[in-house]
Amino acid sequence: NAGVMQNPRHLVRRRGQEARLRCSPMKGHSHVYWYRQLPEEGLKFMVYLQKENIIDESGMPKERFSAEFPKEGPSILRIQQVVRGDSAAYFCASSGLAGDTDTQYFGPGTRLTVL
Amino acid sequence: SQQGEEDPQALSIQEGENATMNCSYKTSINNLQWYRQNSGRGLVHLILIRSNEREKHSGRLRVTLDTSKKSSSLLITASRAADTASYFCATDKDSSYKLIFGSGTRLLVRP
């Protein structure tokens, strides 16, 4: 059973460009979460999605950031007009197997560098 | 402010010794989870302990939870160099899905 997959693993963007981060949850999981980690810090919750629904986006900046989890395909975290402060590691997690709904399994992360 | 805070921030021990990390939190929780993160990598889930549980074991790992003190500890016995990593506790302050992480304990196990 493949784990949570994220791509790309590393992404370099110039200021003003768009960044698209993809996450494929574990097989059978229907809940996806995005977190951001700054250097030397813990992860900060951004958004929680189920298929075609955003359940909680309280941790996501109102401007420039958006997330989706379509019926088919991976979840996408999109950052428009990136700025240097967006440089961080972005982790996706998934959960949802019956009897184990509370455990979140994390992907390897996408490390975004904004030049 | 952080819901979960680990201490110490950094810990250096000799291979074979035990390592104890602590986590304190502020509000009531449903679950508390411990994760390991190797440098530059993703998080690996170690253990989930529910609020009605006091102790849980998994291999060389032992986790305790004291809800009256709002604290948890992670004990790694007979440490190995491969245990070198950052360890995070994560709590679910408002719900069972929004995990709130502390800043982590950086463990170095010297061979």
Side-chain angles (χ1 to χ4, degrees):
Chain A
N1 187 10
V4 178
M5 301 181 64
Q6 290 187 249
N7 68 81
R9 295 290 304 277
H10 300 273
L11 183 60
V12 179
R13 285 286 178 267
R14 297 191 180 281
R15 279 179 296 168
Q17 291 185 318
E18 177 180 288
R20 276 183 181 246
L21 289 63
R22 294 176 192 77
C23 168
S24 296
M26 283 178 73
K27 187 176 180 180
H29 283 188
S30 57
H31 306 257
V32 166
Y33 318 82
W34 286 93
Y35 292 82
R36 177 166 62 179
Q37 184 181 34
L38 295 171
E40 306 299 317
E41 293 189 11
L43 279 68
K44 300 281 197 301
F45 169 83
M46 297 181 73
V47 61
Y48 163 41
L49 309 105
Q50 293 181 18
K51 283 284 187 183
E52 300 184 278
N53 282 306
I54 297 175
I55 308 301
D56 182 346
E57 55 183 349
S58 59
M60 199 158 65
K62 299 280 189 291
E63 307 286 332
R64 303 185 298 109
F65 284 73
S66 62
E68 62 177 14
F69 188 16
K71 188 177 180 181
E72 302 289 339
S75 174
I76 306 285
L77 178 67
R78 183 181 177 208
I79 312 172
Q80 295 178 289
Q81 300 173 345
V82 295
V83 300
R84 289 227 173 97
D86 297 332
S87 295
Y90 291 83
F91 290 94
C92 166
S94 73
S95 72
L97 281 177
D100 188 20
T101 54
D102 292 338
T103 300
Q104 294 183 21
Y105 296 89
F106 283 80
T110 293
R111 277 151 188 82
L112 172 65
T113 302
V114 179
L115 302 176
Chain B
S1 61
Q2 292 284 357
Q3 164 74 332
E5 284 295 341
E6 295 91 341
D7 90 274
Q9 290 188 332
L11 181 61
S12 178
I13 59 173
Q14 202 70 36
E15 200 166 29
E17 293 180 336
N18 295 341
T20 299
M21 289 158 271
N22 303 297
C23 169
S24 60
Y25 57 92
K26 294 182 172 59
T27 64
S28 61
I29 61 172
N30 297 310
N31 308 306
L32 185 145
Q33 305 185 52
W34 284 91
Y35 288 86
R36 183 186 75 227
Q37 183 180 34
N38 290 84
S39 181
R41 308 290 291 273
L43 276 75
V44 174
H45 185 262
L46 297 176
I47 276 188
L48 180 152
I49 186 165
R50 302 196 184 279
S51 58
N52 61 354
E53 297 176 310
R54 291 295 165 259
E55 188 171 311
K56 213 163 179 180
H57 297 255
S58 177
R60 293 184 296 114
L61 306 180
R62 173 179 167 243
V63 168
T64 62
L65 179 64
D66 187 336
T67 51
S68 66
K69 294 181 179 176
K70 293 187 169 56
S71 67
S72 174
S73 68
L74 170 67
L75 168 68
I76 305 174
T77 59
S79 64
R80 305 167 181 166
D83 294 328
T84 294
S86 291
Y87 291 82
F88 295 91
C89 71
T91 55
D92 55 351
K93 176 184 172 186
D94 298 320
S95 66
S96 64
Y97 62 79
K98 191 187 296 183
L99 294 183
I100 300 175
F101 287 80
S103 302
T105 292
R106 284 152 196 76
L107 173 66
L108 171 64
V109 181
R110 304 186 303 274

